[in-house]
Amino acid sequence: MNLELDHFFILVEPNAQVANVLLEMGLQESFSRDHVGQGTSNRRFSLSNGMIEFLWVRDAQESESGPAKNLLFSQRAQNPQASPFGVILHRKDNEDLSMPFKGWSYQPDYFEIPKAFHVGENSANLQEPLCFYVPFIEPSERQVEKGQFKSLSHVCIHNPHAKDSDTLKRAGQADRLSFKQGDEHLVEVTFDDHKMGLSRDLRPEIPMIMHW
């Protein structure tokens, strides 16, 4: 499929203090921002070919009444059974400009019109990760640096439910991304092709296992 992972996010407690563990391990933090109209804020860790984003609900009322209300961020944050993950995807080339899965257009206040996300139709299913496609990002050749915590090789998101939606099946065909059934909501992130042969489980603070 003409699709690849741009980045993923984890919905966490306000101010994302849990993200400090990534700083301690040597990942580089990028700039943070408030998402006006969405009611969320973030902390971001950039890599040469992607990003890890920690997202939290800054203003529940704004999140529930603004243009992002159908993303159900507040409901996800309050429900321990909900998936805390979201994936953001873009196309690899311009040969196919069609949307990769069925869904709806989300026009954030922080985007200039007509730039908008295409959101997968599984967005109302709290048990599944949110799936975003960004049609206005042009394909580009990325220089993937080698070395510890320089690039995202693969992201595998575990879901504790029996059957994936069509949205998740199609999103799972993107380069560097997969979904699998598991006992809990969990993401396994592989950096730099796991060349060091090391791993670290960040649970219970963060539902993430790192391989590098």
Side-chain angles (χ1 to χ4, degrees), residues 170-202:
R170 296 185 67 81
Q173 297 178 44
D175 286 1
R176 297 184 291 114
L177 176 66
S178 63
F179 299 97
K180 67 182 296 185
Q181 295 178 12
D183 296 329
E184 61 183 308
H185 293 293
L186 174 70
V187 60
E188 292 192 70
V189 186
T190 301
F191 300 87
D192 309 313
D193 298 319
H194 201 187
K195 288 187 175 181
M196 298 289 290
L198 301 174
S199 298
R200 180 173 174 181
D201 192 335
L202 303 183

Side-chain angles (χ1 to χ4, degrees), residues 1-7 49 87-102 117-120 130-140 142 153-155 166-179:
M1 181 176 284
N2 184 22
L3 200 62
E4 68 178 343
L5 177 69
D6 187 87
H7 68 279
N49 65 342
V87 296
I88 294 81
L89 312 169
H90 64 260
R91 64 185 182 278
K92 294 188 292 184
D93 57 54
N94 287 324
E95 293 183 6
D96 183 0
L97 302 181
S98 63
M99 298 301 175
F101 39 73
K102 295 179 180 179
F117 287 117
H118 177 74
V119 182
L130 286 164
C131 296
F132 298 83
Y133 173 67
V134 192
F136 58 83
I137 292 183
E138 289 291 333
S140 62
R142 293 185 173 182
S153 300
H154 193 75
V155 172
D166 183 65
T167 300
L168 218 59
K169 290 176 182 177
R170 296 185 67 81
Q173 297 178 44
D175 286 1
R176 297 184 291 114
L177 176 66
S178 63
F179 299 97

Side-chain angles (χ1 to χ4, degrees), residues 42-61:
N42 69 5
R43 292 179 66 180
R44 311 194 301 181
F45 292 80
S46 295
L47 295 113
S48 61
N49 65 342
M51 178 176 66
I52 299 174
E53 180 180 14
F54 290 84
L55 189 76
W56 67 89
V57 177
R58 169 182 44 81
D59 185 323
Q61 182 176 359

Side-chain angles (χ1 to χ4, degrees), residues 2-3 6 14 19 23 26 33-35 37 44 52 67 73 79 87 93 105 108 122 140 146 161-162 190 193 203:
N2 184 22
L3 200 62
D6 187 87
L23 285 176
R33 67 182 297 183
D34 294 335
H35 302 113
R44 311 194 301 181
I52 299 174
F73 280 125
N79 187 342
V87 296
D93 57 54
S105 180
N122 71 329
S140 62
K146 297 300 181 182
H161 59 85
T190 301
D193 298 319
R203 293 174 292 181

